Each structure stands twice: as C-alpha cells, then as structure tokens.
Amino acid sequence: MSPPAQLYFSITHSFQLSSIPLTITPSEEEARAGRLTPQNLELAIRSLHVDGLVVVENVIERSKLDYLNTKMVSDAYELANRDDDSPFNYNKGPPPTKPYFDPSIFLNPIATQITSTHLGPKPKYTFLSGNTALPPTPASPPLAQPTHSDADFAHPSYPFSLIINVPLVDMTPKSGATEIWLGTHTYDISVQEGAHGERASGRVKKEPLEERRGVRPLVQAVVEKGSIVVRDLRLWHGGMPNLGNVPRVMIAMIHFAPWFRNPMKLELSEDVKSVVEGFGKDLEVPVTWKNEQVVEKEYLNRGFGNSYFFDQLE
C-alpha cells in the first residue's frame, strides 16, 4: 500500500523517506475525463521531484491490456526461441499496427498531462518498446539485472525525460516487479561504470549503491494491471527475475522535454496515423510512417532498448 495522499507531504519532509512509491487513485470522473484534478496532479509532480517516480492506478481498461498481452507474450517466446544475445528482460514489441495500438495505452491522456506539466508543453514522444520477464526454466535460471540508470550519458541535473511504463499484468515481486531506488534521480554519471551500448550500460558502482542502501533501500513495488508508472529516466532500477509461471510484460515509452534535442523517431504503421493525430495533440510525435505489411515483418527485428540513443544532439 502506498502512503495516503494526505500524509504524503509530511512523509516527504521527514528524515526517513519511504521506499514505497506514491500511488494516486483517480476518481471515476478523472479517469473518464482523462485528466487529474489539480490536487492529484500536484501530488504526481511532487512525487516525481522528490522520488523520481509516481504510480497512477485504474486508468486503462484491463480487457485492452489482456488483448495486447496475448500478442506480446507470443512475441516474447518467439524472440526467446531465436536465442539472440539479448539484454536482460528486453522485448522488441509492441506491434505498432492499428489492431494493437490502443490510444488509452500508448497515448494515455493522464500520462501526457503529467509529463507535459513536469517537462513543459508538448513533450517529444520518441521511444516505444517493452520488456518481458519470462518464467524461469532449467535453461534460463532466475537472474537479476544490475542496478543501473537509463541515463547512461552526461545528462542535465534537472528533469529532461520521463519513462511511462504500462504493465500488462499485475506486477509483484513474484512476477518480476522492477527493483527501484526512489530518490536516486539526482545522481550524475560519476556513480556509473557501464558505458552506453554495453549490456550493463549505466550500471551503478558498488560503493554508492551500498551507501544508498543505508539511506533509502530498494523496493519491488506491487503495481496493479490498469496502472501507469511514470519515472525519471535517471532513476536507479533493475529488472528482476520472474519467479512465477506467467510471463510479465511491460510497455515502455519515453517522453523528452520539448527543448531536449533527442533525434529518435517512432516507427509506426500508416494505419495508426489518424489515431496519433487525433489523440497526440498534446505531444510532439516524430514518426517514420511505414506500410502495415512492412511494419509487421520488421518490428521484431529492431534493436533492443539499450541500443537506442537517449542523449540529445549538439
């Protein structure tokens, strides 16, 4: 359970900050309108500044997640059978075609409200991928990803990028909930030892990791299906093994501040162009549009997440 909203202000001013992320539960009216009240929006922004992460629950219909999950689990096993030298827990999906590109998932208005408030009007949406923690097998025993930051380059000391994660099933420690270290988004790259492009890019050195453990320990937070998780790109985290028997799929999207000159573009099917134009009016969405048949053949052959360029151009 997250701390109640009314206690959050006092908690964030105490000497012992909680390791449990703040979870905001919108009212039915907020969820229907796709907008948080000013009070809940303030809580979200405060949590991003103090913790580097916030959870907003009950904002996506579960049936829509179930439909996408069936496809992405199938894709995950196809990728696993290729025996690629893939990074931990990475997937190359989701399929960016109309049958699967639901705007409540990929262009969620509450997520955009939070990112555009935190980063500035019309943030740039330039990355879409996912990761899957498969149940263990004798050939793939449980392994944990090194604690790392996705900002594995010299980066600003102020907010410039937010990741939006959408779990397609309930995330728990048993199913492979991500390890998170709240409040670590203020560290620079001097605490890292893994270089960009390596399997363990952005890996945090042992000494600062142990120091931080005594300040505010890690947590594998429970996040219910239907929620969105918004976290600062700089926050320390790590993929954890799935100890259950059901694959755990999570969507990952990145919004950059409008001034941050990240050069990436989404690759989407032409059949979702009207969806993006209709629901993405509060976002800048650089896209390379491709024929639907071409996209269906190519999307599982794209690079894994840590092969992308999250830095900005000069």
Side-chain angles (χ1 to χ4, degrees), residues 30-282:
E30 287 174 286
R32 190 164 49 248
R35 290 194 70 79
L36 298 177
T37 61
Q39 292 86 351
N40 275 337
L41 182 59
E42 180 186 2
L43 284 173
I45 300 306
R46 185 179 183 89
S47 184
L48 285 170
H49 278 292
V50 175
D51 297 341
L53 183 144
V54 67
V55 179
V56 187
E57 63 182 7
N58 296 335
V59 294
I60 302 174
E61 290 182 25
R62 294 187 169 213
S63 60
K64 296 178 178 180
L65 298 171
D66 292 339
Y67 181 72
L68 180 60
N69 187 59
T70 299
K71 174 60 174 173
M72 290 197 68
V73 168
S74 174
D75 287 347
Y77 279 111
E78 179 180 337
L79 290 168
N81 291 333
R82 292 182 184 182
D83 198 28
D84 287 344
D85 186 27
S86 61
F88 185 92
N89 271 11
Y90 269 81
N91 195 312
K92 298 178 181 180
T97 55
K98 194 167 186 178
Y100 303 101
F101 196 86
D102 191 288
S104 69
I105 300 173
F106 299 106
L107 295 162
N108 186 272
I110 288 179
T112 301
Q113 182 191 19
I114 292 170
T115 62
S116 62
T117 303
H118 195 66
L119 300 173
K122 294 203 74 168
K124 289 188 289 187
Y125 176 14
T126 67
F127 179 81
L128 170 60
S129 187
N131 64 68
T132 304
L134 294 173
T137 67
S140 59
L143 294 173
Q145 186 182 32
T147 303
H148 67 284
S149 167
D150 289 333
D152 58 355
F153 51 88
H155 55 262
S157 59
Y158 36 85
F160 67 94
S161 179
L162 294 172
I163 294 180
I164 302 159
N165 287 132
V166 179
L168 303 189
V169 297
D170 290 342
M171 287 204 305
T172 67
K174 183 177 181 180
S175 69
T178 304
E179 163 200 296
I180 53 175
W181 297 69
L182 296 182
T184 56
H185 57 301
T186 59
Y187 287 80
D188 61 25
I189 60 169
S190 65
V191 300
Q192 300 177 16
E193 60 182 359
H196 175 72
E198 297 178 356
R199 286 175 67 94
S201 60
R203 180 177 50 211
V204 180
K205 297 175 182 176
K206 183 177 180 180
E207 184 176 340
L209 199 64
E210 292 307 312
E211 288 178 355
R212 189 68 193 180
R213 197 184 301 273
V215 175
R216 201 173 181 188
L218 66 93
V219 68
Q220 280 185 272
V222 174
V223 179
E224 294 186 1
K225 182 170 67 172
S227 304
I228 58 173
V229 181
V230 183
R231 70 170 170 88
D232 195 297
L233 185 80
R234 300 168 291 173
L235 194 75
W236 299 359
H237 63 287
M240 299 299 287
N242 183 346
L243 303 178
N245 54 16
V246 176
R248 192 276 298 143
V249 182
M250 184 171 68
I251 302 297
M253 298 164 277
I254 303 180
H255 291 184
F256 289 96
W259 50 264
F260 193 80
R261 300 174 299 281
N262 178 266
M264 298 188 302
K265 291 185 177 183
L266 301 183
E267 288 189 0
L268 302 177
S269 169
E270 292 171 343
D271 66 351
V272 304
K273 191 171 185 178
S274 62
V275 178
V276 173
E277 291 175 345
F279 287 84
K281 60 183 182 300
D282 295 323

